[in-house]
Amino acid sequence: MDFDKLILGIDIGTSSVKISLLDSSTSKSIYAKSVPTKAKTSSSHQKGDEQDVFNILKAMQECLKSPGKIMEKVKAIGICGQMHGIVFWDEQFVQTFWDNEFTNETKKLVSNLYTWQDARTDLKFLTKLPKPRSHLKAYSGYGCNTIFWLKENQPEILSNFKHCGTIQDLIVSILCNQGKPVMSTHNAASWGYFDVIECSWNTDILIQANFPVHLLPLVVQPGKIFGTLYETIYHIPKGAVVGVALGDLQCSVIATLTSMTDAVINISTSAQVAFVTKIIEKQCDGVEYFPYYDNHFLAVAASLNGGNVLDCFVRSVLSWVSALGLTITEDELWNRLLHLPDEEHSTPLIVNPLIFGERHDPTTFGSLINVTNNNFTLSELFSGFCKGLINNLLKMMPREMLLKAGIQRIIGSGSVITRNHIIKKEIENCFNLPLSLQMPEDSAFGVALALLKNNPHLFS
């Protein structure tokens, strides 16, 4: 089959890089690939969560090499990625990738990525910071708060670099060979201290707090074009249009939703319930309104507890088995857990699975309630963790809120839902709305689709 104009979507996720090739004439994906980044690295702080930028770039390169000559048809590139996090760099770092064929690992020209999971800005530290002028709060792991912490504790990081952005902002800068970043409202809002309505940073508040405002990028609306590809790489032609980097959550939603009456529940590393709206309602503690597209907002209950909780549970079981001198592979354990029979009796065991806390309630963690001699079993515990994740989402975004917004259906996305019959059933029971598992496209597809929808003239 011959394709005339393709759009390349790249998603820089927490644990992997994904790409999707979108046929602009049909809005269908013709190719997809995912490569794990294996980027987690030691942190300078015990509560920190940092990733090696070079490992992320290597995973992206492996993805880009894979499709081969069909990449010659790429006319535009859209990039999204993990929100809230921050990385620092110099313009020279961007240039080295073109001078050295993307092989130069000059560590002093770029920092680690401080991810959204970085918890060094704990509650005690956050209480010292000024209140943002925005309907959005600023939590641990948010870029501006990380800068506040570095200014106080590791000021050399800030003095060593001239620019900063999310990891996806850095990659856009690299592809266009422009050291100075431009950021979309998606990513600016995820950093805190950004007024979405005015489309501006809280500069006056930050200056008064001695914040290095010169580091903050220029912000534009999502869908805008950042620049063009500096040179031909991996068959992608020089001059291909590159869009400003977007948030992975917004791109996941645009790839999934078919109607304003749909809500999305996505469970991957973390978990979210989201729907699109034109207005900002009085917020529940766990719901925030992030910028979407076309002056709409994304009402989001974003939990820090999702697939990472089940991964932690599985690792714990593996360590218990190993301590007893027994062996079972991780894949085999997962297979057995996912095929445990449904319990017909109702158990009093309640698992509160908030082992990673929550941004809106950072002092509350996980617990087990009503443990008896009959229900402290592997089957009951795993089922309890699964059900607890969904009940936590329901608590953050109640069913009544969805009904008030006119939501008539839930679309479930992410392998945690599609593979896990307990979680699927619990969503149906808790939210009491039709659940559709359509195997929707991911954020890599979504960012390509967003570029097409916002710039149709490029592909006509």
Side-chain angles (χ1 to χ4, degrees), residues 235-308:
H235 300 291
I236 309 169
K238 174 183 177 179
V241 168
V242 181
V244 65
L246 305 179
D248 56 357
L249 176 59
Q250 288 90 336
C251 291
S252 173
V253 171
I254 199 173
T256 305
L257 285 187
T258 58
S259 168
M260 287 276 286
T261 59
D262 290 340
V264 174
I265 293 183
N266 176 74
I267 305 179
S268 50
T269 303
S270 55
Q272 303 89 25
V273 187
F275 63 87
V276 179
T277 180
K278 291 183 178 179
I279 56 175
I280 299 176
E281 295 278 4
K282 184 179 179 181
Q283 292 172 245
C284 301
D285 284 343
V287 177
E288 295 203 280
Y289 289 78
F290 286 104
Y292 190 56
Y293 304 97
D294 300 325
N295 297 315
H296 283 65
F297 293 92
L298 197 59
V300 184
S303 172
L304 299 178
N305 298 274
N308 50 1

Side-chain angles (χ1 to χ4, degrees), residues 332-347:
E332 186 179 359
L333 177 57
W334 267 114
N335 186 57
R336 293 192 183 189
L337 289 172
L338 292 172
H339 289 88
L340 288 171
D342 287 323
E343 299 287 348
E344 295 186 2
H345 65 280
S346 60
T347 172

Side-chain angles (χ1 to χ4, degrees), residues 49-69:
D49 193 271
E50 300 177 32
Q51 293 186 352
D52 187 313
V53 170
F54 291 98
N55 284 5
I56 295 171
L57 291 171
K58 287 173 184 175
M60 183 184 75
Q61 289 171 258
E62 189 174 335
C63 280
L64 296 180
K65 289 177 183 177
S66 182
K69 293 197 70 176

Side-chain angles (χ1 to χ4, degrees), residues 11 307 401:
D11 173 30
M401 185 175 185

Side-chain angles (χ1 to χ4, degrees), residues 392-458:
N392 181 53
L393 288 177
L394 181 68
K395 182 179 178 181
M396 293 175 70
M397 184 179 282
R399 179 175 184 270
E400 292 72 25
M401 185 175 185
L402 297 179
L403 295 179
K404 183 179 179 183
I407 300 303
Q408 299 174 11
R409 179 178 69 155
I410 291 174
I411 298 179
S413 67
S415 60
V416 175
I417 296 178
T418 57
R419 294 174 57 208
N420 192 315
H421 66 94
I422 302 171
I423 282 182
K424 177 179 177 292
K425 186 174 181 180
E426 195 66 13
I427 292 173
E428 294 171 329
N429 290 341
C430 287
F431 288 93
N432 195 22
L433 286 167
L435 173 64
S436 174
L437 300 180
Q438 300 176 352
M439 297 303 291
E441 301 285 357
D442 58 22
S443 297
F445 172 84
V447 72
L449 185 64
L451 196 59
L452 174 62
K453 288 186 173 182
N454 284 283
N455 301 276
H457 61 282
L458 294 175

